Amino acid sequence: MTKRPRIFYGWVIVAIAFIMMAVGYALRNTFSVFYPTLVEEFGWARGSTALMFSINIIVYGITAPIAGGLADRFSPRLVFPLGICTMGGAIALCSIASQQWHFFLLYGVGAAAGLSMTGVTTLNTIMARWFVRKRALAFGIFNMGFGFSLLASPIAQSLISGLGRDRAYFTIGLLAIGITVPLVLIFMRRSPADKGTVPDGIDAPVTTGGPAQHHGVSSQWTRTEWTLAKAVRTRTLWLLFAADFSMMGIAQQVVIAHSVYFFRDSGFSPQLAANIFSFYGVGITIGYMFAYLSDKIGRERVFVPGCLMAAVATGLLFVVDGPAFAWLGAVCMFFCGLGMGAAVTTFFATVADLFQGKHYGAIMGFVTFGFSIGGAFSPWFAGYLNDTTGSYDIALVMVTAALIIASVLVTLAAPRRLQPVPGVAARLAAEQGGNAPS
């Protein structure tokens, strides 16, 4: 008789994914503190300098479906180290960059292509194989790594102040490779079958290679074997695509790229501005765990309040005017992150609910492309608006509107009707005597 392991190995996968998220996205998100340094060092305009972040986002999105397909087909112990070395190496080479096109190529293209192979698209693909019943919880925990990546901003500012911009780039690039590659090679596994177990570690196996898991409620949607070709013909996928465009493409990327500069424009010192921005990381880290509630009460009931909370917190930034309002800036950043964290992870779980199967990686990659279109445009546009108007007022309105629009789009996608989460599905089955209509 085989003894069941005390700890389900899927939680080891979650831990490795958490570290990969924290390290990988730190390389991208520390742009917010390198950004003012580059403008001051080289005398470039904000709009053209922010273009390197926009290029990073669009390349990340273009390569995400390819990366998702690689995660569907190949071992993560091959895909992830290749991506990590590409990303870390490109960031390290930014230490010798001296022209804008150098940064466009290294940070914009190289680092983005590497991150797409090691980031949320490929990690979601792996995680969806390991968890079904506790999917949002697992997604929430490993996505907390993204929140921790934002806490790297004060550290990056200290490195810039102490070592200089060039050595700071070199240091964080090599550290990323040294920390994550050994962990992936030793511990990462593609699916529960590789460790002789099943999703969630339960005795009754759940098929993750076929149609989406039914959770006790059967319908034509849940019985469909989803491919990318089928998915793009549905209204639901395009609603999710547009929601990702608005929430993560516009709102989140403007906040990440321009918050430090916003506070510096308000009279904050570089270090204080970076410290206040880190409250966004604290909030988003905690917010990711609220996504666990969506396993119980439904995705929309967590996603919509999260977006609206972030929208209100963003709107309050209009009041921040000088270092005397540092406390309010920190509060706004925290609650913006809290709402965004709850919404983002719930969104990832929603896509996995609706389009789980052999081709989930490619479908998730397509949705990520929606984020990248918004992310390619919005950081540059926010910088351009500041160059022309001298303020971030229009950018703040743009972020607030994008969050509200995203909440409406996911409500219209109605995951509660197409693929109820376990808690909701159990209630529906009980109400219908255990047999929901097809």
Side-chain angles (χ1 to χ4, degrees), residues 37-332:
T37 301
L38 293 172
V39 170
E40 293 167 1
E41 180 179 343
F42 295 108
W44 298 330
R46 293 194 192 189
S48 61
T49 307
L51 190 58
M52 63 185 271
F53 190 80
S54 294
I55 294 172
N56 181 287
I57 299 299
I58 191 62
V59 172
Y60 176 84
I62 291 172
T63 55
I66 301 171
L70 291 174
D72 286 334
R73 296 181 58 189
F74 299 106
S75 168
R77 288 188 284 179
L78 171 64
V79 176
F80 289 158
L82 178 61
I84 293 165
C85 290
T86 301
M87 172 181 58
I91 291 295
L93 287 173
C94 284
S95 63
I96 60 174
S98 59
Q99 302 293 324
Q100 280 193 334
W101 72 267
H102 296 164
F103 289 99
F104 294 163
L105 179 63
L106 293 170
Y107 179 88
V109 178
L115 183 59
S116 72
M117 297 172 67
T118 64
V120 70
T121 300
T122 48
L123 289 173
N124 276 344
T125 302
I126 299 297
M127 211 61 59
R129 298 190 185 111
W130 284 89
F131 294 92
V132 173
R133 298 185 181 182
K134 297 181 179 179
R135 177 171 288 154
L137 175 61
F139 277 29
I141 293 174
F142 94 78
N143 273 286
M144 287 173 66
F146 183 89
F148 272 71
S149 77
L150 297 166
L151 300 180
S153 294
I155 299 173
Q157 183 61 58
S158 297
L159 287 173
I160 293 170
S161 300
L163 301 176
R165 184 267 308 171
D166 50 353
R167 292 182 181 179
Y169 267 132
F170 186 76
T171 299
I172 64 174
L174 292 190
L175 277 176
I177 296 172
I179 291 171
T180 54
V181 169
L183 291 174
V184 169
L185 292 176
I186 295 170
F187 296 107
M188 184 59 72
R189 295 296 184 272
R190 185 171 187 268
S191 69
D194 293 342
K195 296 296 290 185
T197 185
V198 293
D200 295 296
I202 57 176
D203 291 328
V206 179
T207 302
T208 60
Q213 180 63 19
H214 296 184
H215 297 319
V217 178
S218 180
S219 68
Q220 183 178 355
W221 185 277
T222 61
R223 292 192 297 270
T224 300
E225 179 73 55
W226 289 108
T227 64
L228 181 56
K230 288 181 180 179
V232 296
R233 292 196 293 268
T234 67
R235 170 177 174 267
T236 299
L237 185 69
W238 287 104
L239 287 169
L240 296 176
F241 182 95
D244 211 15
F245 170 91
S246 299
M247 175 186 62
M248 294 187 66
I250 295 178
Q252 190 178 70
Q253 301 318 307
V254 171
V255 169
I256 290 173
H258 290 277
S259 288
V260 171
Y261 232 145
F262 169 81
F263 290 115
R264 289 182 62 167
D265 284 351
S266 298
F268 295 74
S269 69
Q271 190 64 57
L272 180 58
N275 291 345
I276 291 177
F277 175 61
S278 70
F279 279 86
Y280 179 77
V282 175
I284 204 169
T285 301
I286 298 172
Y288 283 139
M289 294 312 301
F290 278 91
Y292 174 62
L293 291 175
S294 72
D295 279 338
K296 307 296 182 184
I297 65 175
R299 305 300 188 209
E300 299 98 314
R301 291 185 177 182
V302 174
F303 182 88
V304 172
C307 282
L308 296 181
M309 179 188 294
V312 170
T314 302
L316 286 174
L317 287 173
F318 278 106
V319 182
V320 176
D321 184 21
F325 290 87
W327 66 272
L328 179 59
V331 169
C332 289

